Each structure stands twice: as C-alpha cells, then as structure tokens.
C-alpha cells in the first residue's frame, strides 16, 4: 500500500483555515483524528513489512532443514551420499514441490524418474557419460522402489523354501549359495565357492550375514553362524544356525518383468594359459554348442530361460536376445540352478555376471516400461 504523503498533508490545511491564531492556535479535532489515523497506518505498514522480511528468512531456513531431513530419510532407505546429492540436484532442477513424497509414493517417483531420463537422453553428451548417468538414475529408481515395497515382516528361517537362492556375507565378501535342506536343528546350504572355484571352508562359529530370496521373489535377511560342514545327498553342505528374526527387507533386488522371446545360449569355458605369475585366464565362447531357449522373465540382475536342452547348474553362459523394441542385447552369466520340466527340458535361473552399461540400461528401460522413450 503506497500513500502520497505531501498530498495527505496538503489535504489537512483547509481544516485549519478558520483558525485566526495560525499554527499555535486551537486545532480542529477532525484534523487531529485524521493525523492520528495516518500515523497509525504508517506504523502498521512498517510492522507488516518487518514480518514479511522475517518470513522470507524463515523460509530459507526451512528449505535448508528440509534438505537435511531428506538426506537423513534417503540414507535410511539405502541411498549413499553421492546418490543423495543426485536426488537433491534433480529435486532443485525440477522444483519438486513435495520431495519427501518421492521416497514414499511409487507413482510420484515414476514421473520424476521419467523426466530425468528424458533430459539425460536428450542432452548432448558423450555416449559413455550418458549411459553412466542413465545407470545412476535407474539405481535411484531401484533402491527407492524396493524401499517403498518393503513391508518389514519378521519370520523364522524355518519357513524358507528348499531351493531358495541365498547370498552369504562372510567378512567383507559375499558368496552365492542355495538352501538344500532345512531341519529343526539347522539349515544346510551349498558350500560357497571362491573366485577360483574352490570351496570355502571357514571356522565353526563364524558369524554369517544371509539374504534369502523366497519363492514369491521376496528378499529376507538374517544373522546366523556356521555350525559345521557335512554331506547331503552326496553334495557338500555348510550348516547354518536357524533364526527367529528373519526380516523382510524388500522384494527382489532387481524388479523383474515377463518376456516371451527367443534366446540363444552359448556355453562359456575358462581357459588358463601360461604358468605361475604369468598365468592368464580367458573366457572362450563355444559357438558350435549354441542352443535355443525361450525367455520367461528378465531383470537387470538375471533371467529365467526355458530350453529343451538346458545347461547344468554352475555352467557359465552367454545369452543373446531381443527385448520387445527389438534391441539386441548380449549378457554373460552363470546358471544358478536348473529346474527340470519333463519333456520340455528345464528352466535355467541365470545370474548375470557381466553386462555392458549400455545393455543394463536397455534392460532396465524394458523392465520399468521406459523402452518407448529411448
């Protein structure tokens, strides 16, 4: 509100024209009242301005506090420092109105991720830089989506299905394993192998962190310890202690999507050349042993393939296939287990061990339904 001060003062003078004693004489009560109202208005304007100025400062403090709160919440669900910075950068860039909702609402997050992917793909960047940024955006999507879907239901390890995939954390290393049998006293799992293909032998009582994937694709984690070693149906096993505090942490580490597509499978052999310190190991793709399969489902971490001539568990393999948008993809992996299916051969559960950044991004675009936006 703006007032013309000279005009207001000038408008008061007619009220004093009948005063014969000039400015030292008796004043008109109406003039005094108007002057008091005017002064009151000026004071009110000053107070309001001070409040508004203080409010602006408070808003900045609130914004900084919200960023700190967002980082705390993001860290709780598994985002590291660099990915928190990436999220905050995107939030500021898109002027996201309710940032905390991104960590709790799948639909809100999905729109946010799609916008980020579109911008990166439209940017003038070297291919390697673009693929790296797309990969990191998909990592945000995966981690936050898994957190949203987590229910946190606790249960006993005795409820795990025989054949469940396991990942065992021993020290700072993680090893693949499988639940072979479960009895009242313990779990019996396949003995983990080192990178050299040697069975891992550790002392009795050693603490173990375990993650298990249930038949429904849910991921559970629990703490256990090694009870010893033995044999189950002629297969070496490691015995682990049961727990009553198995916690559901998320669904599958990588979201899966059904895909009905032809697949070419090539067994891969590891050949060692040279001796001693000069020994070198290299992978050889046996193209003459190619066999045909059918993709059942696909994720960034692996796939399920049905074939009349399946490969045995632990076989290294190269997989060639196309997604629905006819993108040709090549991945390398290992057959974790084989599920026999009678005359139809069997279903191979394959874990990817080597995928190019470009191809893992194409897979995630398909899995999350973004393949039409390349």
């Amino acid at each position: 509100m703006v007032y013309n001060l000279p005009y207001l003062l000038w408008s008061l003078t007619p009220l004093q024209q009948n005063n014969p004693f000039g400015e030292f004489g008796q004043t008109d009560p109406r003039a005094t009242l108007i002057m008091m109202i005017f002064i009151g208005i000026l004071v009110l304007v000053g107070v309001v301005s001070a409040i508004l100025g203080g409010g602006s400062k408070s808003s900045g403090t609130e914004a900084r506090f919200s960023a700190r709160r967002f980082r705390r919440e993001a860290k709780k669900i598994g985002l590291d420092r660099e990915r928190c910075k990436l999220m905050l950068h995107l939030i500021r860039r898109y002027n996201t109105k309710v940032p905390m909702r991104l960590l709790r609402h799948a639909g809100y997050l999905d729109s946010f991720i799609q916008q980020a992917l579109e911008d990166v793909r439209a940017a003038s960047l070297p291919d390697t830089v673009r693929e790296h940024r797309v990969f990191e955006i998909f990592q945000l999507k995966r981690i936050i989506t898994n957190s949203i879907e987590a229910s946190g239901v606790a249960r006993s390890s005795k409820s795990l299905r025989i054949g469940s995939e396991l990942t065992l954390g021993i020290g700072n290393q993680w090893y693949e394993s499988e639940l072979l049998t479960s009895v009242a006293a313990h779990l019996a799992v396949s003995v983990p192998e080192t990178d050299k293909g040697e069975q891992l032998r550790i002392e009795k009582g050693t603490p173990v962190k375990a993650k298990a994937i249930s038949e429904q694709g849910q991921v559970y984690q629990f703490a256990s310890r090694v009870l010893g070693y033995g044999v189950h149906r002629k297969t070496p096993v490691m015995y682990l202690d049961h727990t009553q505090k198995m916690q559901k942490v998320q669904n599958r580490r990588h979201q899966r999507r059904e895909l009905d597509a032809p697949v070419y499978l090539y067994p891969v052999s590891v050949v060692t050349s040279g001796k001693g310190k000069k020994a070198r190991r290299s992978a050889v793709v046996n193209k003459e042993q190619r066999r045909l399969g059918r993709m059942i489902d696909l994720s960034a971490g692996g796939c399920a393939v049905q074939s009349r001539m399946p490969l045995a568990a632990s076989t290294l393999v190269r997989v060639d296939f196309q997604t629905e948008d006819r993108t040709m993809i090549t991945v390398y992996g290992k057959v974790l287990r084989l599920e026999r299916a009678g005359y139809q051969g069997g279903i191979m559960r394959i874990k990817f061990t080597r995928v190019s950044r470009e191809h893992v991004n194409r897979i995630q675009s398909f899995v999350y339904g973004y393949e039409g936006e390349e």
Side-chain angles (χ1 to χ4, degrees):
M1 185 179 295
V2 180
Y3 296 93
N4 191 325
L5 185 59
Y7 173 78
L8 286 173
L9 293 177
W10 174 83
S11 65
L12 295 177
T13 54
L15 299 177
Q16 299 178 350
Q17 287 179 353
N18 295 327
N19 181 8
F21 300 100
E23 59 180 340
F24 298 103
Q26 185 178 3
T27 60
D28 191 323
R30 290 181 299 170
T32 303
L33 178 61
I34 292 175
M35 180 62 73
M36 291 177 65
I37 292 174
F38 172 71
I39 293 173
I41 291 173
L42 291 179
V43 172
L44 180 61
V45 169
V47 171
V48 171
S49 298
I51 292 174
L52 292 177
S56 299
K57 184 176 180 180
S58 175
S59 297
T61 303
E62 178 64 23
R64 290 193 294 273
F65 171 78
S66 296
R68 290 196 296 270
R69 181 187 172 202
F70 184 90
R71 281 192 290 267
R72 286 198 302 268
E73 295 300 318
K75 184 177 179 180
K76 289 179 183 178
I77 68 171
L79 292 181
D80 59 23
R81 183 176 180 180
E82 291 304 313
R83 287 178 179 140
C84 284
K85 288 173 63 177
L86 175 58
M87 280 294 292
L88 288 171
H89 167 74
L90 295 173
I91 286 168
R92 294 186 182 105
R93 178 171 181 173
Y94 301 134
N95 193 27
T96 305
K97 301 302 181 184
V98 192
M100 296 303 300
R101 195 179 180 200
L102 293 170
L103 305 180
R104 300 172 183 143
H105 193 283
Y108 198 62
L109 173 68
D110 193 58
S111 299
F112 180 84
I113 293 296
Q114 286 193 51
Q115 180 64 57
L117 289 172
E118 289 173 5
D119 287 353
V120 170
R121 286 167 176 158
S124 178
L125 296 169
D127 290 343
T128 53
V129 175
R130 179 183 294 104
E131 295 300 339
H132 174 74
R133 293 187 182 180
V134 169
F135 177 80
E136 287 301 322
I137 292 170
F138 273 125
Q139 290 298 93
L140 295 177
K141 168 74 173 175
R142 179 183 65 84
I143 294 170
I144 299 174
T145 298
N146 286 340
S147 172
I148 292 172
E149 294 177 350
S151 65
V153 179
R155 53 191 289 180
S156 168
S157 59
K158 295 179 181 179
S159 63
L160 286 174
R161 179 182 64 89
I162 304 303
S164 296
E165 299 174 27
L166 295 175
T167 305
L168 305 180
I170 303 171
N172 295 324
Q173 299 293 322
W174 289 89
Y175 304 90
E176 298 298 328
S177 183
E178 181 182 354
L179 178 59
L180 299 180
T181 188
S182 176
V183 296
H186 56 251
L187 297 166
V189 304
S190 59
V191 179
E193 295 182 351
T194 65
D195 293 337
K196 297 181 179 180
E198 300 172 350
Q199 290 189 347
L200 185 67
R201 296 280 173 170
I202 56 178
E203 295 182 2
K204 182 178 178 180
T206 300
V208 174
K209 294 176 290 185
K211 291 184 180 180
I213 301 178
S214 71
E215 187 175 11
Q216 293 75 30
Q218 298 164 338
V219 177
Y220 294 88
Q221 67 179 11
F222 59 95
S224 184
R225 60 191 177 96
V226 177
L227 298 180
Y229 289 83
V231 177
H232 174 71
R233 296 183 179 178
K234 299 182 180 181
T235 301
V237 296
M238 174 191 290
Y239 296 128
L240 298 179
D241 198 10
H242 273 300
T243 180
Q244 299 298 323
K245 297 180 179 180
M246 190 170 68
Q247 192 77 13
K248 180 182 175 185
V249 292
Q250 61 185 50
N251 287 334
R252 281 191 180 271
R253 286 164 290 183
H254 299 283
Q255 182 169 323
R256 291 177 178 260
R257 181 177 171 184
E258 292 184 358
L259 174 62
D260 183 12
V263 174
Y264 286 114
L265 303 166
Y266 302 88
V268 175
S269 303
V270 177
V271 178
T272 302
S273 59
K275 296 181 179 180
K277 294 182 179 180
K278 295 183 179 181
R280 296 290 183 270
R281 303 176 72 197
S282 57
V284 177
V285 178
N286 301 307
K287 294 185 177 180
E288 69 281 0
Q289 298 182 33
R290 185 183 77 173
R291 57 197 69 191
L292 183 64
R294 199 83 190 170
M295 185 79 75
I296 297 176
D297 60 46
L298 175 66
S299 78
C303 64
V305 177
Q306 184 172 11
S307 175
R308 291 183 180 274
M309 296 185 295
L311 297 168
S314 299
T315 301
L316 299 179
V317 61
R318 190 182 96 177
V319 184
D320 293 347
F321 64 96
Q322 289 183 338
T323 55
E324 291 180 346
D325 65 347
R326 299 191 178 279
T327 298
M328 178 57 70
I329 293 176
T330 296
V331 299
Y332 292 85
K334 180 179 181 179
V335 180
L336 288 183
R337 67 177 187 273
L338 172 62
E339 300 170 3
R340 293 290 179 181
Y343 70 93
Q344 294 182 341
I347 298 174
M348 293 166 283
R349 302 292 177 178
I350 299 173
K351 177 186 177 182
F352 297 154
T353 56
R354 195 179 77 187
V355 190
S356 70
R357 184 62 54 83
E358 177 185 0
H359 283 177
V360 77
N361 287 338
R362 299 299 176 271
I363 291 172
Q364 293 190 107
S365 292
F366 167 75
V367 169
Y368 290 116
Y370 302 149
E371 70 273 17
E373 301 168 18
E374 295 288 340

